Amino acid sequence: MIDAPDASGSNADAGEQQHESFADAVARIERLGKSLFGVTACVVHLHGKKVGLITQAHHYCAQLPLGDVLNVMPEKSSPFSPALGKIDNFEVRFYALHPLRNRAGNIVGRVVLIHERSRAFTAGDAHWMTDLVALLERELHFSGYKV
């Protein structure tokens, strides 16, 4: 997106508009993830940056331990799995967390699927999660959004 200069001849709103379009892309990816996986929430959290609406789910995801690869908790689905935490009016019984990387390969955030019931996470789900993260990383790289 190229912004035309305003009356003063500057592109003062260019950064804000790019930020807004990136926030829209993040919201779209969160909706896609929620629907694709049939989970209670899909959350994108960028370290140290506020993008879009910040909810209790975002705060919960920010405190989860982050590794270099996909992390699924619990690893096996069981109806007797203890709660992993509480968000708003539901207890978290499952999450899948994938790191988000910038162009240099540094971890700059995370994409987290959260569900109120325990569930299996198949190899196919892992593949779809990798694809979802790739979409978000591509958007991050090409949006010009600085992390």
Side-chain angles (χ1 to χ4, degrees):
M1 171 167 75
I2 299 174
D3 296 311
D6 62 15
S8 68
S10 74
N11 287 350
D13 292 332
E16 186 175 322
Q17 289 176 356
Q18 285 178 344
H19 177 71
E20 289 173 358
S21 65
F22 181 67
D24 291 341
V26 167
R28 185 173 38 258
I29 288 170
E30 287 179 334
R31 287 190 306 271
L32 265 169
K34 182 178 177 181
S35 180
L36 178 66
F37 292 98
V39 293
T40 307
C42 175
V43 175
V44 173
H45 173 54
L46 295 174
H47 301 165
K49 298 284 184 174
K50 180 182 180 227
V51 179
L53 179 66
I54 303 301
T55 65
Q56 275 193 317
H58 288 87
H59 291 293
Y60 175 81
C61 293
Q63 56 86 29
L64 294 174
L66 181 62
D68 289 337
V69 295
L70 175 67
N71 179 20
V72 177
M73 285 298 293
E75 292 179 7
K76 294 185 179 189
S77 176
S78 167
F80 305 108
S81 295
L84 302 168
K86 186 170 175 126
I87 300 173
D88 294 326
N89 59 352
F90 72 89
E91 290 184 338
V92 176
R93 302 237 181 238
F94 167 87
Y95 70 79
L97 181 148
H98 198 294
L100 181 62
R101 298 178 188 277
N102 63 11
R103 281 183 195 249
N106 300 319
I107 296 175
V108 296
R110 56 191 72 201
V111 177
V112 185
L113 304 174
I114 303 170
H115 201 49
E116 57 194 314
R117 292 186 312 266
S118 62
R119 58 164 285 175
F121 199 74
T122 66
D125 289 334
H127 178 79
W128 286 111
M129 182 72 156
T130 301
D131 289 348
L132 188 69
V133 168
L135 283 173
L136 184 56
E137 288 176 340
R138 184 174 190 272
E139 189 66 38
L140 178 65
H141 300 166
F142 290 113
S143 71
Y145 188 76
K146 301 292 183 216
V147 182

